[in-house]
Amino acid sequence: AVPPVVEKPLRAVQTSLLITAIRRRGKTTVPSPQTTRGALLDALLVGEPQHFCERWERGLEQWSEDSPDAYTVNVFPSHEGGFVRLDRDLEDDLGGHEKALTHHFRGENLLVTRLRVKLGFVDCEQEGAAGYASLCGPNVQSGDDEDVAQWDDFMAGPMFNNDEGNAFSLMWLAGKRGNSRILIDAVTAETFYEVDALVHHESVTSGVGKVDILVNGLLVARDMEFFYRPLSSLHLYNYSTSTSKIGEIEVWYEKAAPNQ
């Protein structure tokens, strides 16, 4: 008989407790007392930092394998180096952007604020590309049309590229509205590079921000335009027949206000 006596008062004060928490957090918009519990919880989460981390200690628990016929995926925990190895085995007709692994972020209207990832490549064919770690919005998908497969809801991310048979470079690859840039002009195989991208959202009404990028702790790009979409997923893959290694990954993000 005790639980009903306790639960009823808790339910009765739940709305006022959530509104008090929202006010104490300094939120710019405070819902009315008639707002549903779910909407109050959403308001409480606006602007609160959230964090995704992958150190490859639990295998592929946080990932889906999207193209098992095109990749061999092997996970090495920390005592073996702490990375996932992606071997792309097959060429096919989907434009090269078949994802090996995808992590899906839970929630709607999420703003990415930082991406930190360690990545390297083992081998890659000439004029090929490998080691993509791509931040994507909710509408990105695979397909044989490259505009559909990659660019429509792709924000940005690092990757290794070999253009016209020259030395491999580490690049920041942006979506079709953004600006791609070489971060390191010549990179070495079997070497991990740590890319740390910090995104600054300048306005609640604009889809354009700025990103500063560090490689191995050194600032290599400042105030690059960043066209952002609601963060939905992170994709790991190789474009060409190649082998890449993706080490520790961290993504920071937050729930945006409804008008953002």
Side-chain angles (χ1 to χ4, degrees), residues 16 21 86 106 128 134 195 203-204 210 224 229 232 246 255:
S16 61
L86 307 177
R106 299 179 63 182
S134 301
V195 177
S203 169
V204 296
K210 301 290 186 181
M224 291 179 59
R229 293 280 296 139
S232 177
I246 310 294
K255 186 174 181 63

Side-chain angles (χ1 to χ4, degrees), residues 5-176:
V5 175
V6 175
E7 288 171 7
K8 186 175 180 180
L10 284 176
R11 287 196 301 269
V13 301
Q14 194 172 62
T15 296
S16 61
L17 288 174
L18 286 170
I19 290 176
T20 299
I22 290 168
R23 287 174 174 155
R24 287 181 175 176
R25 289 283 189 176
K27 308 299 181 182
T28 56
T29 301
V30 180
S32 70
Q34 288 73 38
T35 305
T36 65
R37 178 176 175 272
L40 289 170
L41 289 171
D42 282 345
L44 184 61
L45 288 174
V46 168
E48 296 297 316
Q50 300 182 58
H51 179 234
F52 165 74
C53 182
E54 178 60 84
R55 294 190 173 92
W56 307 109
E57 296 294 343
R58 295 181 294 171
L60 298 176
E61 181 179 303
Q62 302 189 93
W63 302 85
S64 62
E65 291 191 72
D66 297 341
S67 306
D69 293 336
Y71 289 90
T72 300
V73 178
N74 290 289
V75 177
F76 298 85
S78 58
H79 67 277
E80 297 178 0
F83 62 89
V84 63
R85 176 179 170 130
L86 307 177
D87 292 277
R88 183 157 189 191
D89 305 319
L90 300 175
E91 288 293 338
D92 50 40
D93 60 354
L94 294 182
H97 287 292
E98 301 88 342
K99 316 305 185 291
L101 300 174
T102 297
H103 172 77
H104 295 279
F105 295 92
R106 299 179 63 182
E108 297 180 354
N109 205 25
L110 303 178
L111 284 175
V112 61
T113 58
R114 183 180 179 188
L115 166 68
R116 189 182 71 84
V117 55
K118 296 180 180 179
L119 67 167
F121 73 97
V122 178
D123 57 64
C124 184
E125 64 186 12
Q126 290 297 307
E127 301 186 12
Y132 287 70
S134 301
L135 295 165
C136 295
N139 297 323
V140 74
Q141 56 185 303
S142 293
D144 56 7
D145 181 343
E146 197 164 294
D147 285 338
V148 173
Q150 179 69 358
W151 302 109
D152 278 358
D153 230 14
F154 163 64
M155 285 182 277
M159 47 81 74
F160 296 99
N161 186 56
N162 179 249
D163 188 19
E164 298 179 354
N166 298 319
F168 278 87
S169 59
L170 174 61
M171 290 192 64
W172 180 256
L173 184 68
K176 61 182 179 181

Side-chain angles (χ1 to χ4, degrees), residues 222-253:
R222 181 190 294 274
D223 288 338
M224 291 179 59
E225 280 192 328
F226 186 91
F227 292 85
Y228 54 89
R229 293 280 296 139
L231 176 65
S232 177
S233 55
L234 176 68
H235 299 276
L236 308 180
Y237 66 100
N238 302 331
Y239 184 88
S240 310
T241 299
S242 53
T243 300
S244 62
K245 295 179 179 179
I246 310 294
E248 183 176 323
I249 302 170
E250 291 184 279
V251 181
W252 287 262
Y253 57 100

Side-chain angles (χ1 to χ4, degrees), residues 164-233:
E164 298 179 354
N166 298 319
F168 278 87
S169 59
L170 174 61
M171 290 192 64
W172 180 256
L173 184 68
K176 61 182 179 181
R177 292 190 300 162
N179 297 315
S180 299
R181 175 169 174 170
I182 293 176
L183 304 177
I184 298 181
D185 197 33
V187 293
T188 306
E190 293 281 11
T191 301
F192 275 108
Y193 296 85
E194 180 180 286
V195 177
D196 195 354
L198 297 98
V199 183
H200 312 286
H201 302 284
E202 299 180 336
S203 169
V204 296
T205 59
S206 171
V208 184
K210 301 290 186 181
V211 59
D212 300 331
I213 304 173
L214 298 88
V215 177
N216 296 341
L218 298 176
L219 183 66
V220 296
R222 181 190 294 274
D223 288 338
M224 291 179 59
E225 280 192 328
F226 186 91
F227 292 85
Y228 54 89
R229 293 280 296 139
L231 176 65
S232 177
S233 55

